[in-house]
Amino acid sequence: MSYDKNNIFAKILRGEIPCKKVYENEYVMSFHDIKPQKKIHVLVIPRGEYVDLDDFTTKASDKEIVEFHKAITHIVKILKISNQEGGYRVLSNTGKDGGQEVSHLHYHIFGGEQIGKMVV
Ligand code: AMP
């Protein structure tokens, strides 16, 4: 699948639509999900144009891949949900069967309460 520059997260990255920002750096941006499914529901996206996890791990540089994952640890500390503070769940929907709605790679970070069953 080719990258659609008009997807909603691309617009957030360009500042064309607002978001409730949690953290950003040279490699990533993180913001609250518009329809939170848990007490804390935050998204983290790479700044690069990657459709999904497969696209990312195939095309992104090692530095981008490392920084994306390191950012998660930083973000959960900002949110006070690190393992020492309660814990959290990271999830990435990929493609049709995975239930992906927005075609720009994103990880969901859930926390702030018991997240419950892994899959429903
Ligand atoms: P997925 O189904 O994994 O593609 O998840 C897409 C997520 O993006 C959903 O949880 C939506 O609620 C969320 N979302 C869609 N539009 C926005 C937006 N403008 N700001 C923040 N989150 C959004």
Side-chain angles (χ1 to χ4, degrees):
M1 185 199 260
S2 62
Y3 185 81
D4 171 15
K5 286 179 183 293
N6 282 319
N7 75 74
I8 199 104
F9 295 165
K11 290 181 181 175
I12 287 177
L13 280 167
R14 291 195 295 267
E16 291 168 11
I17 61 168
C19 70
K20 230 175 112 189
K21 206 175 291 177
V22 174
Y23 175 72
E24 66 178 327
N25 67 19
E26 190 183 340
Y27 297 96
V28 308
M29 191 157 168
S30 175
F31 48 89
H32 289 273
D33 196 289
I34 205 163
K35 268 176 67 181
Q37 294 187 40
K38 291 293 168 191
K39 199 164 169 191
I40 294 175
H41 183 176
V42 161
L43 302 172
V44 54
I45 65 176
R47 286 197 184 276
E49 297 180 344
Y50 304 106
V51 174
D52 58 24
L53 192 53
D54 296 341
D55 196 29
F56 187 59
T57 52
T58 304
K59 296 180 189 160
S61 66
D62 289 356
K63 179 77 172 158
E64 285 174 290
I65 293 169
V66 167
E67 291 297 331
F68 186 59
H69 290 89
K70 281 190 168 184
I72 293 171
T73 297
H74 192 68
I75 291 159
V76 298
K77 284 181 186 158
I78 292 172
L79 296 167
K80 301 195 187 314
I81 58 169
S82 69
N83 194 12
Q84 289 71 34
E85 297 166 293
Y88 61 94
R89 180 172 298 162
V90 171
L91 179 153
S92 187
N93 296 321
T94 304
K96 181 170 63 65
D97 285 354
Q100 183 176 4
E101 288 170 9
V102 180
S103 296
H104 181 114
L105 171 64
H106 51 283
Y107 281 3
H108 298 256
I109 302 173
F110 300 103
E113 62 180 322
Q114 281 279 326
I115 305 306
K117 274 191 178 179
M118 191 161 74
V119 180
V120 285

